[in-house]
Each structure stands twice: as structure tokens, then as C-alpha cells.
Coordinates of all heavy atoms in Angstrom, one line a residue:
M1 N -3.9 -12.8 5.4 CA -2.7 -12.1 4.9 C -1.8 -11.6 6.0 O -2.2 -11.0 6.9 CB -3.2 -10.9 4.0 CG -2.1 -10.3 3.2 SD -2.7 -8.9 2.2 CE -2.6 -9.7 0.6
T2 N -0.6 -12.0 5.9 CA 0.4 -11.6 6.9 C 0.9 -10.2 6.7 O 0.7 -9.7 5.6 CB 1.5 -12.6 7.0 OG1 2.3 -12.4 5.8 CG2 1.1 -14.0 7.2
R3 N 1.5 -9.7 7.7 CA 2.1 -8.4 7.5 C 3.2 -8.4 6.4 O 3.3 -7.4 5.7 CB 2.8 -7.9 8.8 CG 2.0 -6.8 9.5 CD 2.7 -6.4 10.7 NE 3.2 -7.6 11.4 CZ 2.8 -7.9 12.7 NH1 2.0 -7.1 13.3 NH2 3.2 -9.0 13.3
D4 N 3.9 -9.4 6.3 CA 5.0 -9.4 5.3 C 4.4 -9.5 3.9 O 4.9 -8.9 3.0 CB 6.0 -10.6 5.5 CG 7.3 -10.2 4.9 OD1 7.9 -9.3 5.5 OD2 7.7 -10.7 3.9
N5 N 3.3 -10.2 3.7 CA 2.6 -10.1 2.5 C 2.2 -8.7 2.1 O 2.3 -8.2 1.0 CB 1.3 -11.0 2.5 CG 1.6 -12.5 2.5 OD1 0.9 -13.2 3.2 ND2 2.7 -12.9 1.9
L6 N 1.7 -8.0 3.1 CA 1.3 -6.6 3.0 C 2.6 -5.8 2.6 O 2.5 -4.9 1.7 CB 0.7 -6.0 4.2 CG -0.8 -6.2 4.4 CD1 -1.2 -5.8 5.8 CD2 -1.5 -5.5 3.3
G7 N 3.7 -6.1 3.2 CA 4.9 -5.4 2.8 C 5.2 -5.6 1.3 O 5.6 -4.7 0.6
Q8 N 5.0 -6.9 0.8 CA 5.2 -7.2 -0.6 C 4.3 -6.4 -1.5 O 4.6 -5.9 -2.5 CB 5.1 -8.7 -0.8 CG 6.2 -9.4 -0.2 CD 6.0 -10.9 -0.2 OE1 4.9 -11.4 -0.5 NE2 7.0 -11.7 0.3
V9 N 3.0 -6.3 -1.0 CA 2.0 -5.5 -1.8 C 2.4 -4.1 -1.9 O 2.4 -3.5 -3.0 CB 0.6 -5.6 -1.2 CG1 -0.4 -4.7 -1.8 CG2 0.1 -7.1 -1.3
Y10 N 2.9 -3.5 -0.8 CA 3.3 -2.1 -0.8 C 4.5 -2.0 -1.7 O 4.7 -1.0 -2.5 CB 3.6 -1.6 0.6 CG 2.4 -1.2 1.3 CD1 2.1 -1.8 2.6 CD2 1.5 -0.2 0.9 CE1 1.0 -1.5 3.3 CE2 0.4 0.1 1.6 CZ 0.1 -0.5 2.8 OH -1.0 -0.2 3.5
E11 N 5.4 -2.9 -1.6 CA 6.6 -2.9 -2.4 C 6.3 -2.8 -3.9 O 6.8 -2.1 -4.7 CB 7.5 -4.1 -2.1 CG 8.8 -4.1 -2.9 CD 9.5 -5.5 -2.8 OE1 9.0 -6.3 -2.1 OE2 10.6 -5.6 -3.4
M12 N 5.3 -3.7 -4.3 CA 5.0 -3.8 -5.7 C 4.2 -2.5 -6.2 O 4.2 -2.1 -7.4 CB 4.1 -5.0 -6.0 CG 5.1 -6.2 -6.0 SD 4.2 -7.7 -6.6 CE 3.7 -8.4 -5.0
K13 N 3.5 -1.9 -5.2 CA 2.9 -0.6 -5.6 C 3.9 0.5 -5.6 O 3.5 1.6 -6.0 CB 1.8 -0.3 -4.5 CG 0.5 -1.1 -4.8 CD -0.7 -0.4 -4.1 CE -0.8 -0.9 -2.7 NZ -2.1 -0.5 -2.0
G14 N 5.1 0.3 -5.2 CA 6.1 1.3 -5.3 C 6.1 2.2 -4.0 O 6.8 3.2 -3.9
D15 N 5.4 1.7 -3.0 CA 5.4 2.5 -1.8 C 6.3 1.8 -0.8 O 6.0 1.1 0.1 CB 3.9 2.5 -1.1 CG 3.8 3.6 0.0 OD1 4.9 4.0 0.5 OD2 2.7 3.9 0.3
L16 N 7.6 2.1 -1.0 CA 8.7 1.4 -0.3 C 8.7 1.9 1.2 O 9.0 1.1 2.1 CB 10.0 1.7 -0.9 CG 10.2 1.0 -2.3 CD1 11.4 1.5 -3.0 CD2 10.3 -0.5 -2.1
R17 N 8.3 3.1 1.5 CA 8.3 3.5 2.8 C 7.3 2.7 3.7 O 7.5 2.3 4.8 CB 7.9 5.0 2.9 CG 8.2 5.6 4.3 CD 7.7 7.0 4.3 NE 8.5 7.9 3.5 CZ 9.6 8.5 4.0 NH1 10.1 8.2 5.1 NH2 10.3 9.3 3.2
A18 N 6.1 2.5 3.1 CA 5.1 1.7 3.8 C 5.5 0.3 3.9 O 5.3 -0.4 4.9 CB 3.7 1.8 3.0
A19 N 6.2 -0.2 2.9 CA 6.7 -1.6 2.9 C 7.7 -1.8 4.1 O 7.6 -2.8 4.8 CB 7.4 -2.0 1.6
Q20 N 8.6 -0.8 4.2 CA 9.6 -0.9 5.2 C 8.9 -0.8 6.6 O 9.2 -1.6 7.5 CB 10.5 0.3 5.1 CG 11.6 0.3 6.2 CD 12.4 1.6 6.1 OE1 11.9 2.7 5.7 NE2 13.6 1.6 6.5
E21 N 7.9 0.0 6.7 CA 7.2 0.2 8.0 C 6.5 -1.1 8.4 O 6.6 -1.6 9.5 CB 6.2 1.3 7.9 CG 5.8 1.9 9.3 CD 4.8 3.0 9.1 OE1 5.1 4.0 8.5 OE2 3.6 2.8 9.6
M22 N 5.8 -1.7 7.4 CA 5.2 -3.0 7.6 C 6.1 -4.1 8.2 O 5.9 -4.8 9.1 CB 4.6 -3.5 6.3 CG 3.2 -3.1 6.0 SD 2.1 -3.5 7.3 CE 0.9 -2.2 7.1
R23 N 7.3 -4.1 7.5 CA 8.2 -5.2 7.8 C 8.9 -4.9 9.2 O 9.2 -5.8 10.0 CB 9.3 -5.3 6.7 CG 8.6 -6.0 5.5 CD 9.6 -6.1 4.4 NE 9.0 -7.0 3.3 CZ 9.0 -6.6 2.1 NH1 9.5 -5.5 1.6 NH2 8.4 -7.5 1.2
L24 N 9.1 -3.7 9.5 CA 9.7 -3.3 10.8 C 8.7 -3.6 11.9 O 9.1 -4.0 13.0 CB 10.2 -1.9 10.8 CG 11.5 -1.7 10.0 CD1 11.8 -0.2 10.0 CD2 12.7 -2.4 10.6
R25 N 7.5 -3.4 11.6 CA 6.4 -3.7 12.6 C 6.4 -5.2 12.9 O 6.3 -5.6 14.0 CB 5.1 -3.3 12.1 CG 4.3 -2.6 13.2 CD 3.0 -2.1 12.7 NE 3.1 -0.8 11.9 CZ 2.1 -0.3 11.2 NH1 0.9 -0.9 11.2 NH2 2.2 0.8 10.6
G26 N 6.6 -6.0 11.8 CA 6.8 -7.5 12.0 C 8.0 -7.8 12.9 O 7.9 -8.7 13.7
A27 N 9.1 -7.0 12.7 CA 10.3 -7.3 13.4 C 10.1 -7.0 14.9 O 10.7 -7.7 15.7 CB 11.4 -6.4 12.8
A28 N 9.3 -6.0 15.2 CA 9.0 -5.7 16.6 C 8.4 -6.9 17.3 O 8.6 -7.1 18.5 CB 8.2 -4.5 16.7
D29 N 7.6 -7.7 16.6 CA 7.0 -8.8 17.2 C 7.8 -10.1 17.0 O 7.4 -11.2 17.1 CB 5.6 -9.1 16.5 CG 4.6 -8.0 16.7 OD1 4.8 -7.2 17.6 OD2 3.6 -7.9 15.9
S30 N 9.1 -9.9 16.7 CA 10.0 -11.0 16.4 C 9.5 -11.9 15.3 O 9.5 -13.1 15.5 CB 10.3 -11.8 17.7 OG 10.9 -11.0 18.6
N31 N 8.9 -11.4 14.3 CA 8.3 -12.2 13.2 C 8.5 -11.4 11.9 O 7.6 -10.7 11.5 CB 6.8 -12.3 13.6 CG 6.1 -13.2 12.5 OD1 6.7 -13.8 11.7 ND2 4.8 -13.1 12.5
I32 N 9.7 -11.6 11.4 CA 9.9 -10.9 10.1 C 10.4 -12.0 9.1 O 11.3 -12.8 9.4 CB 11.0 -9.8 10.3 CG1 11.1 -9.0 9.0 CG2 12.3 -10.3 10.8 CD1 11.8 -7.6 9.2
A33 N 9.8 -12.0 7.9 CA 10.1 -13.0 6.9 C 11.1 -12.5 6.0 O 11.3 -11.3 5.7 CB 8.8 -13.3 6.1
C34 N 11.9 -13.4 5.4 CA 12.9 -13.1 4.4 C 12.2 -12.5 3.2 O 11.1 -13.0 2.8 CB 13.6 -14.4 4.0 SG 14.9 -14.2 2.8
G35 N 12.8 -11.5 2.6 CA 12.2 -10.8 1.4 C 12.2 -11.6 0.2 O 11.5 -11.3 -0.8
N36 N 12.9 -12.7 0.2 CA 13.0 -13.6 -1.0 C 11.7 -14.5 -1.0 O 11.5 -15.3 0.0 CB 14.2 -14.5 -0.9 CG 14.4 -15.3 -2.2 OD1 13.5 -15.7 -2.8 ND2 15.7 -15.6 -2.5
Y37 N 10.9 -14.4 -2.0 CA 9.6 -15.1 -2.0 C 9.8 -16.6 -2.0 O 8.9 -17.3 -1.5 CB 8.8 -14.7 -3.3 CG 8.3 -13.4 -3.4 CD1 8.7 -12.3 -2.5 CD2 7.3 -13.0 -4.3 CE1 8.2 -11.1 -2.6 CE2 6.8 -11.7 -4.4 CZ 7.2 -10.8 -3.5 OH 6.7 -9.5 -3.6
N38 N 10.9 -17.0 -2.4 CA 11.1 -18.5 -2.5 C 11.7 -19.0 -1.2 O 11.9 -20.2 -1.0 CB 12.1 -18.8 -3.6 CG 11.5 -18.4 -4.9 OD1 10.3 -18.7 -5.2 ND2 12.3 -17.8 -5.8
C39 N 11.9 -18.1 -0.2 CA 12.5 -18.5 1.0 C 11.4 -18.4 2.1 O 10.8 -17.3 2.2 CB 13.7 -17.6 1.4 SG 14.4 -17.9 3.0
L40 N 11.2 -19.4 2.8 CA 10.1 -19.4 3.8 C 10.7 -19.2 5.2 O 9.9 -19.3 6.2 CB 9.3 -20.7 3.8 CG 8.7 -21.0 2.4 CD1 8.1 -22.4 2.4 CD2 7.6 -20.0 2.1
K41 N 11.9 -18.9 5.3 CA 12.5 -18.7 6.6 C 12.0 -17.5 7.3 O 12.0 -16.4 6.8 CB 14.0 -18.6 6.4 CG 14.8 -18.8 7.7 CD 16.3 -19.0 7.4 CE 17.0 -19.0 8.7 NZ 18.5 -19.0 8.5
L42 N 11.6 -17.7 8.6 CA 11.2 -16.6 9.4 C 12.4 -16.2 10.3 O 12.8 -17.1 11.1 CB 10.0 -16.9 10.3 CG 8.6 -16.6 9.7 CD1 7.6 -17.1 10.7 CD2 8.4 -15.1 9.5
Q43 N 12.9 -15.1 10.2 CA 14.0 -14.7 11.0 C 13.5 -13.9 12.1 O 12.8 -12.9 12.0 CB 15.0 -13.9 10.1 CG 16.4 -13.8 10.6 CD 17.2 -15.1 10.4 OE1 16.7 -15.9 9.6 NE2 18.3 -15.2 11.0
N44 N 14.0 -14.2 13.3 CA 13.4 -13.5 14.5 C 14.2 -12.3 14.9 O 13.7 -11.4 15.5 CB 13.4 -14.5 15.7 CG 12.4 -15.6 15.4 OD1 11.3 -15.3 14.9 ND2 12.7 -16.8 15.8
N45 N 15.4 -12.2 14.5 CA 16.3 -11.2 15.0 C 16.7 -10.2 13.8 O 17.3 -10.6 12.9 CB 17.5 -11.8 15.6 CG 18.2 -10.8 16.5 OD1 18.0 -9.6 16.4 ND2 18.9 -11.3 17.5
L46 N 16.2 -9.0 14.0 CA 16.5 -8.0 12.9 C 18.0 -7.8 12.6 O 18.4 -7.6 11.5 CB 15.9 -6.6 13.4 CG 15.8 -5.5 12.3 CD1 15.0 -5.9 11.1 CD2 15.3 -4.2 12.9
S47 N 18.8 -7.9 13.7 CA 20.2 -7.7 13.5 C 20.8 -8.9 12.7 O 22.0 -8.7 12.2 CB 20.9 -7.6 14.8 OG 20.7 -8.7 15.6
D48 N 20.2 -10.0 12.6 CA 20.7 -11.1 11.7 C 20.3 -11.0 10.3 O 20.8 -11.7 9.4 CB 20.1 -12.4 12.2 CG 20.6 -12.8 13.6 OD1 21.6 -12.3 14.0 OD2 19.9 -13.6 14.2
L49 N 19.5 -10.0 10.0 CA 19.0 -9.9 8.6 C 19.9 -8.9 7.8 O 20.5 -8.0 8.3 CB 17.6 -9.3 8.6 CG 16.5 -10.2 9.2 CD1 15.3 -9.4 9.4 CD2 16.2 -11.4 8.3
S50 N 20.0 -9.2 6.5 CA 20.7 -8.2 5.7 C 19.6 -7.5 4.9 O 18.6 -8.0 4.5 CB 21.8 -8.8 4.8 OG 21.2 -9.6 3.8
R51 N 19.8 -6.2 4.8 CA 18.8 -5.3 4.3 C 19.2 -4.7 3.0 O 20.4 -4.5 2.8 CB 18.6 -4.2 5.4 CG 17.6 -3.2 5.1 CD 17.8 -1.9 6.0 NE 17.3 -2.1 7.3 CZ 16.6 -1.1 7.9 NH1 16.2 0.0 7.3 NH2 16.2 -1.3 9.1
C52 N 18.3 -4.5 2.1 CA 18.7 -3.9 0.8 C 19.3 -2.5 1.1 O 18.7 -1.7 1.8 CB 17.5 -3.7 -0.1 SG 17.9 -2.8 -1.6
S53 N 20.5 -2.3 0.6 CA 21.2 -1.0 1.0 C 20.7 0.2 0.3 O 21.0 1.3 0.6 CB 22.7 -1.2 0.8 OG 22.9 -1.5 -0.6
V54 N 19.9 0.0 -0.8 CA 19.4 1.1 -1.6 C 18.1 1.6 -1.0 O 18.0 2.8 -0.6 CB 19.2 0.7 -3.0 CG1 18.7 1.9 -3.8 CG2 20.5 0.2 -3.6
C55 N 17.1 0.7 -0.9 CA 15.8 1.2 -0.4 C 15.6 1.0 1.1 O 14.7 1.6 1.7 CB 14.7 0.5 -1.2 SG 14.6 -1.3 -0.9
K56 N 16.4 0.1 1.6 CA 16.3 -0.3 3.1 C 14.8 -0.8 3.4 O 14.5 -0.7 4.6 CB 16.7 0.9 4.0 CG 18.1 1.3 3.7 CD 18.5 2.4 4.7 CE 20.0 2.7 4.6 NZ 20.5 3.1 3.3
A57 N 14.1 -1.2 2.5 CA 12.7 -1.6 2.7 C 12.5 -3.1 2.7 O 11.5 -3.6 3.1 CB 11.8 -1.0 1.7
V58 N 13.5 -3.9 2.2 CA 13.4 -5.3 2.2 C 14.6 -5.9 3.0 O 15.7 -5.4 3.0 CB 13.4 -5.9 0.8 CG1 12.0 -5.6 0.1 CG2 14.5 -5.4 -0.1
F59 N 14.2 -7.0 3.7 CA 15.1 -7.7 4.6 C 15.3 -9.1 4.1 O 14.4 -9.8 3.7 CB 14.6 -7.7 6.0 CG 14.3 -6.3 6.5 CD1 13.1 -5.7 6.2 CD2 15.2 -5.6 7.2 CE1 12.9 -4.4 6.6 CE2 15.0 -4.3 7.7 CZ 13.8 -3.7 7.4
Y60 N 16.5 -9.6 4.2 CA 16.8 -11.0 3.8 C 17.5 -11.8 4.9 O 18.3 -11.2 5.7 CB 17.7 -11.0 2.6 CG 17.0 -10.4 1.4 CD1 17.2 -9.0 1.1 CD2 16.0 -11.1 0.6 CE1 16.6 -8.4 0.0 CE2 15.4 -10.5 -0.4 CZ 15.7 -9.2 -0.7 OH 15.0 -8.6 -1.8
C61 N 17.3 -13.1 4.9 CA 18.0 -13.9 6.0 C 19.4 -14.1 5.7 O 20.2 -14.3 6.6 CB 17.3 -15.3 6.1 SG 17.5 -16.3 4.6
S62 N 19.8 -13.9 4.5 CA 21.2 -14.1 4.1 C 21.6 -13.3 2.8 O 20.7 -13.0 2.0 CB 21.5 -15.6 3.9 OG 20.7 -16.1 2.8
R63 N 22.9 -13.2 2.6 CA 23.3 -12.5 1.4 C 22.9 -13.3 0.1 O 22.5 -12.7 -0.9 CB 24.9 -12.4 1.4 CG 25.3 -11.3 2.3 CD 25.4 -10.0 1.6 NE 25.5 -8.8 2.4 CZ 25.2 -7.6 2.1 NH1 24.8 -7.3 0.9 NH2 25.4 -6.6 2.9
P64 N 23.1 -14.6 0.1 CA 22.7 -15.3 -1.1 C 21.2 -15.2 -1.4 O 20.8 -15.1 -2.6 CB 23.0 -16.8 -0.8 CG 24.1 -16.7 0.3 CD 23.8 -15.5 1.0
C65 N 20.4 -15.1 -0.4 CA 18.9 -14.9 -0.6 C 18.7 -13.5 -1.2 O 17.9 -13.4 -2.1 CB 18.2 -14.9 0.8 SG 17.1 -16.3 0.9
Q66 N 19.4 -12.5 -0.7 CA 19.3 -11.2 -1.3 C 19.7 -11.2 -2.7 O 19.0 -10.6 -3.6 CB 20.2 -10.2 -0.5 CG 20.1 -8.8 -0.9 CD 20.8 -7.8 0.0 OE1 21.4 -8.3 1.0 NE2 20.6 -6.6 -0.2
A67 N 20.8 -11.8 -3.0 CA 21.3 -11.9 -4.4 C 20.3 -12.5 -5.3 O 20.1 -12.1 -6.5 CB 22.7 -12.6 -4.5
S68 N 19.7 -13.6 -4.9 CA 18.8 -14.3 -5.8 C 17.5 -13.6 -5.9 O 16.8 -13.9 -6.9 CB 18.6 -15.8 -5.4 OG 17.8 -15.9 -4.2
D69 N 17.2 -12.8 -5.0 CA 15.9 -12.0 -5.1 C 16.1 -10.7 -5.9 O 15.1 -10.1 -6.3 CB 15.3 -11.7 -3.7 CG 13.9 -11.1 -3.8 OD1 13.1 -11.8 -4.4 OD2 13.7 -10.0 -3.2
W70 N 17.3 -10.3 -6.2 CA 17.6 -9.0 -6.8 C 16.9 -8.9 -8.1 O 16.4 -7.8 -8.5 CB 19.1 -8.8 -6.9 CG 19.4 -7.5 -7.6 CD1 20.1 -7.3 -8.7 CD2 19.1 -6.2 -7.1 NE1 20.2 -6.0 -9.0 CE2 19.6 -5.2 -8.1 CE3 18.4 -5.6 -6.0 CZ2 19.4 -3.9 -8.0 CZ3 18.2 -4.3 -5.9 CH2 18.7 -3.4 -6.8
K71 N 16.9 -10.0 -8.9 CA 16.2 -9.9 -10.2 C 14.8 -9.4 -10.1 O 14.3 -8.7 -11.0 CB 16.3 -11.4 -10.8 CG 16.7 -11.4 -12.3 CD 16.5 -12.8 -12.8 CE 17.9 -13.4 -13.1 NZ 17.9 -14.7 -13.7
R72 N 14.1 -9.9 -9.1 CA 12.7 -9.5 -8.9 C 12.7 -8.1 -8.3 O 12.0 -7.2 -8.7 CB 12.0 -10.5 -7.9 CG 10.6 -10.1 -7.6 CD 10.1 -10.8 -6.4 NE 10.8 -10.3 -5.2 CZ 10.4 -9.2 -4.5 NH1 9.4 -8.5 -4.9 NH2 11.0 -8.8 -3.5
H73 N 13.5 -7.9 -7.2 CA 13.3 -6.7 -6.4 C 13.8 -5.4 -7.2 O 13.3 -4.4 -6.9 CB 14.1 -6.9 -5.1 CG 14.2 -5.6 -4.3 ND1 13.1 -5.0 -3.8 CD2 15.2 -4.9 -3.9 CE1 13.4 -3.9 -3.1 NE2 14.8 -3.8 -3.2
K74 N 14.8 -5.6 -8.1 CA 15.3 -4.4 -8.7 C 14.3 -3.6 -9.5 O 14.5 -2.4 -9.7 CB 16.5 -4.8 -9.6 CG 16.1 -5.5 -10.9 CD 17.3 -5.8 -11.8 CE 17.0 -6.7 -13.0 NZ 18.2 -7.2 -13.6
K75 N 13.2 -4.2 -9.9 CA 12.1 -3.5 -10.5 C 11.5 -2.5 -9.6 O 10.9 -1.5 -10.1 CB 11.1 -4.5 -11.0 CG 11.5 -5.3 -12.3 CD 10.4 -6.2 -12.7 CE 10.6 -7.5 -12.2 NZ 9.6 -8.5 -12.3
Y76 N 11.5 -2.8 -8.3 CA 10.8 -1.9 -7.4 C 11.8 -1.1 -6.6 O 11.4 -0.1 -5.9 CB 10.0 -2.8 -6.4 CG 9.2 -3.8 -7.1 CD1 9.5 -5.2 -7.1 CD2 8.0 -3.4 -7.8 CE1 8.7 -6.1 -7.8 CE2 7.2 -4.3 -8.5 CZ 7.6 -5.7 -8.5 OH 6.8 -6.6 -9.1
C77 N 13.1 -1.5 -6.6 CA 14.0 -0.8 -5.7 C 14.4 0.6 -6.2 O 14.7 0.8 -7.3 CB 15.3 -1.7 -5.7 SG 16.4 -1.1 -4.4
R78 N 14.3 1.5 -5.3 CA 14.8 2.8 -5.5 C 15.0 3.5 -4.1 O 14.5 3.0 -3.1 CB 13.9 3.7 -6.3 CG 12.5 3.9 -5.7 CD 11.5 4.5 -6.6 NE 10.2 4.2 -6.1 CZ 9.6 4.8 -5.1 NH1 10.2 5.7 -4.4 NH2 8.4 4.4 -4.7
Q79 N 15.8 4.5 -4.1 CA 16.1 5.2 -2.9 C 14.8 5.9 -2.4 O 14.1 6.6 -3.1 CB 17.2 6.2 -3.1 CG 18.0 6.4 -1.9 CD 19.5 6.5 -2.3 OE1 19.8 6.8 -3.4 NE2 20.4 6.3 -1.3
V80 N 14.6 5.8 -1.1 CA 13.4 6.5 -0.5 C 14.0 7.8 0.1 O 14.9 7.7 0.9 CB 12.8 5.6 0.6 CG1 11.6 6.3 1.2 CG2 12.3 4.3 0.0
A81 N 13.3 8.9 -0.3 CA 13.8 10.2 0.2 C 13.5 10.3 1.7 O 12.5 9.8 2.2 CB 13.2 11.3 -0.6
Ligands
ZN1 ZN1 15.9 -16.1 2.9
ZN2 ZN1 15.9 -2.3 -2.5

């Protein structure tokens, strides 16, 4: 199981803070996956990723990827205090 899978597990459990931490840890190793499950792209540069502006816990390789994942992600998305 990769770190990004773990990020997804935390996301589904509603622990967005842990999900974010997992993904950022992946980013530190230049290994962060797109949050869209159907996209296998590994993006190496955090600054190239677009991040969910509400929870800031999921990262996407592109805006279209983010838009197409929203249907899934909106169930889990909320603002993290
Ligand atoms: Zn993507
Ligand atoms: Zn979100």
C-alpha cells in the first residue's frame, strides 16, 4: 500500500488532516499522486499540482482532473479547522 492509498483511506474515514499529511509526506519525496483515482499520473512537483481549495487535503495534476473527481470527493470534502 502506498502512501497515497493511505491518504485515500484517511480521506474516506473523514480524517482529512491525516490525509493531507500523508500526501504532503509523499510530496517531500517527490512522489505525490493525483487525487483522481482514474488518473495514474505521478506528479513530482507540488507547485504543479492544484489542490482542493476547501479541504486542502487532496491534490490534482490538473484542473480537469480535479473537476472530474469532485463527484467522488465532495462526499468527503469539508473545511479542516
Ligand atoms: Zn490527474
Ligand atoms: Zn476537498
Side-chain angles (χ1 to χ4, degrees):
M1 191 180 253
T2 67
R3 250 182 319 239
D4 206 69
N5 292 145
L6 274 174
Q8 289 167 356
V9 170
Y10 281 123
E11 182 190 358
M12 283 188 266
K13 280 201 271 189
D15 194 344
L16 291 169
R17 193 187 290 278
Q20 179 188 32
E21 199 182 300
M22 272 300 152
R23 288 177 170 133
L24 284 174
R25 222 178 282 172
D29 297 341
S30 299
N31 180 17
I32 186 164
C34 180
N36 187 330
Y37 289 15
N38 299 315
C39 174
L40 298 173
K41 196 167 173 187
L42 266 179
Q43 198 77 12
N44 293 321
N45 200 336
L46 188 60
S47 61
D48 291 341
L49 295 166
S50 70
R51 183 197 277 231
C52 176
S53 57
V54 181
C55 65
K56 299 184 171 61
V58 289
F59 303 85
Y60 298 98
C61 66
S62 63
R63 285 271 166 198
C65 247
Q66 181 170 9
S68 72
D69 190 53
W70 177 243
K71 224 186 250 183
R72 180 199 67 83
H73 174 62
K74 71 178 174 190
K75 284 183 265 171
Y76 310 107
C77 188
R78 65 190 154 74
Q79 212 141 17
V80 180

